[in-house]
Amino acid sequence: MGGKRKTNENEGMEGEEDSKHNIKKMKKEKSEILPSSIKNKEKRSAVQAKLKHQKKLDKRKKLKARDAAAKRALELGEEPPPKQIPRTIENTREADETVCMPDDEELFAGNDADEFSAVLKQDRTPKILITTCRFNSTRGPAFITELLSVIPNSHYYKRGTYDLKKIVQYANNKEFTSIIVVHTNRREPDALLIIGLPDGPTAHFKLSSLVLRKDIKNHGNPTSHEPELVLNNFTTRLGHRIGRLIQSLFPQSPNFRGRRVVTFHNQRDFIFFRHHRYIFETKEIKQSESKGKKAKDTKGESISKEKVIARLQECGPRFTLKLVSLQHGTFDTKGGEFEWVHKPEMDTSRRRFFL
């Protein structure tokens, strides 16, 4: 009888432990429920907010622990722990064989013999012809007037009914170095065609996110000084070629007194255009002396010091370019040979870039 009671008691204890374990498991599962699996909108948003708040607290704890470890290491005279570099799409991009290296002799030899060498060596001065597509819009000419103020020695010609091949022939006879064609669709500029003269190449860009000067808050008006040109992140062979094409549109002797800067910044194969002028301002900074170090003759009066501060003022326009194709020679739709064409099959990964 006693043995049976003991076995029953043991079984009861084990059953209680199992039920407690099951309750804990159920609670853990409830706490780990994904918000997407909750059908009720209010409960889903509440769980999402709770998870977000918990993540924020955990991140803050990690930052505090990291700062405390760095402070302790400095006090002990040791090296602080290395700073963590955040993983971005740029620094985790796929390896590309065409990335230009600074000691690439073949690249520098090619630069001396390419189509842009005459302009970039200042043997020829850049002279740009700007025109439109046949069916122009109201916003197109406004964009062209701003392009004329950005690019020195550029001239606008009405397209009329002329074919682009005849315009290329005319520009060659008049010793132009490049042609820019602004294409419009639904009253909005949507593409740029840049043709190098006399031997090409021809680059076709998709144009988006256009903001004209009048729409930029606190914009400045550019002067007639020749601007500085900044080209960022054109790292591959194709990017290097596009960078030299853009560089050939501008004179190679900037006038620094004008304080004008034109920037083409390549990020994830999108080329962002910005036009700024930098301004130097003198500001008075008031400093009141502390009570311990106060002199008798000053009587705690505030001392004003002048400090020169540099800031940027945007002149506009502002737009984004995306390369669609690069063609050998001047514009030719039928017999033209393409160096590079973007196709949808090429977009296999978010971390694959071509420029």
Side-chain angles (χ1 to χ4, degrees):
M1 292 290 288
K4 282 184 179 180
R5 280 179 187 171
K6 278 181 182 178
T7 52
N8 290 334
E9 283 175 7
N10 289 334
E11 284 174 5
M13 290 287 286
E14 285 175 5
E16 283 179 8
E17 284 177 5
D18 288 340
S19 62
K20 283 180 182 177
H21 182 70
N22 288 333
I23 289 163
K24 282 182 181 178
K25 199 175 180 182
M26 290 280 285
K27 282 182 179 178
K28 198 175 181 182
E29 282 177 0
K30 278 187 178 180
S31 63
E32 291 177 359
I33 290 172
L34 292 171
S36 57
S37 63
I38 301 168
K39 292 184 178 181
N40 191 306
K41 189 180 177 181
E42 290 182 5
K43 285 185 180 179
R44 185 170 64 243
S45 58
V47 170
Q48 177 66 30
K50 197 174 180 181
L51 283 170
K52 197 175 179 182
H53 180 65
Q54 190 61 40
K55 278 184 182 178
K56 199 175 181 181
L57 289 175
D58 293 342
K59 192 177 179 182
R60 202 176 290 168
K61 278 181 186 176
K62 282 182 183 177
L63 284 169
K64 280 184 179 179
R66 200 187 301 158
D67 291 343
K71 196 175 181 182
R72 203 181 304 115
L74 286 169
E75 286 174 358
L76 295 170
E78 299 174 357
E79 285 188 6
K83 285 186 178 180
Q84 292 182 349
I85 299 168
R87 283 171 59 86
T88 60
I89 291 177
E90 283 82 9
N91 61 22
T92 57
R93 67 180 289 178
E94 288 183 4
D96 194 350
E97 296 176 356
T98 62
V99 171
C100 302
M101 303 304 290
D103 56 346
D104 194 346
E105 293 179 2
E106 186 185 344
L107 181 71
F108 293 116
N111 288 346
D112 295 333
D114 68 358
E115 303 94 329
F116 320 112
S117 58
V119 175
L120 299 183
K121 285 179 181 177
Q122 300 185 23
D123 295 336
R124 294 180 68 190
T125 55
K127 188 180 177 185
I128 316 301
L129 186 148
I130 300 177
T131 187
T132 60
C133 60
R134 287 182 177 177
F135 304 103
N136 200 8
S137 68
T138 52
R139 200 163 152 86
F143 175 53
I144 286 167
T145 52
E146 295 193 7
L147 273 182
L148 290 168
S149 67
V150 169
I151 303 170
N153 200 18
S154 54
H155 308 273
Y156 170 64
Y157 286 81
K158 284 187 178 181
R159 174 69 179 269
T161 57
Y162 291 103
D163 290 332
L164 202 52
K165 287 184 179 180
K166 288 185 177 179
I167 293 170
V168 169
Q169 191 178 352
Y170 172 80
N172 273 324
N173 294 335
K174 294 290 182 179
E175 295 185 348
F176 283 94
T177 58
S178 295
I179 297 173
I180 298 175
V181 183
V182 179
H183 185 270
T184 55
N185 184 24
R186 294 180 182 179
R187 300 184 180 181
E188 188 72 24
D190 70 332
L192 274 186
L193 195 70
I194 302 176
I195 305 169
L197 297 177
D199 303 318
T202 302
H204 179 213
F205 295 95
K206 180 186 172 185
L207 189 144
S208 60
S209 306
L210 174 63
V211 182
L212 296 175
R213 187 180 301 141
K214 62 176 184 179
D215 300 322
I216 296 171
K217 193 178 179 183
N218 299 325
H219 67 83
N221 294 315
T223 57
S224 59
H225 296 85
E226 293 179 351
E228 301 171 55
L229 183 65
V230 179
L231 298 169
N232 285 336
N233 294 339
F234 293 91
T235 53
T236 62
R237 288 288 182 103
L238 177 65
H240 182 73
R241 193 153 167 75
I242 293 298
R244 283 178 69 83
L245 173 66
I246 293 168
Q247 196 177 353
S248 67
L249 300 175
F250 294 86
Q252 304 305 303
S253 54
N255 193 335
F256 296 104
R257 284 187 176 275
R259 307 193 305 279
R260 285 179 64 198
V261 184
V262 171
T263 308
F264 288 88
H265 176 77
N266 173 41
Q267 188 170 356
R268 303 179 191 179
D269 286 349
F270 288 94
I271 302 168
F272 298 95
F273 172 85
R274 296 293 183 271
H275 180 205
H276 293 94
R277 62 190 293 262
Y278 47 92
I279 299 168
F280 298 106
E281 292 179 341
T282 54
K283 285 192 175 182
E284 288 188 356
I285 300 169
K286 291 184 178 179
Q287 292 181 343
S288 58
E289 289 187 346
S290 60
K291 290 182 181 179
K293 296 179 182 178
K294 195 192 298 180
K296 290 181 181 179
D297 53 346
T298 56
K299 297 180 182 179
E301 291 177 359
S302 60
I303 300 167
S304 61
K305 288 185 178 180
E306 286 189 352
K307 190 178 179 182
V308 178
I309 295 169
R311 67 179 181 89
L312 287 173
Q313 185 183 33
E314 193 168 356
C315 298
R318 184 193 300 171
F319 57 87
T320 306
L321 299 173
K322 180 86 187 282
L323 183 66
V324 178
S325 67
L326 184 67
Q327 185 182 3
H328 271 301
T330 55
F331 181 76
D332 189 1
T333 52
K334 291 181 180 178
E337 182 187 346
F338 286 90
E339 293 182 41
W340 185 86
V341 180
H342 179 264
K343 294 175 183 176
E345 310 93 66
M346 297 163 75
D347 299 329
T348 54
S349 171
R350 290 179 65 204
R351 290 177 170 80
R352 190 182 181 195
F353 307 123
F354 302 100
L355 297 182

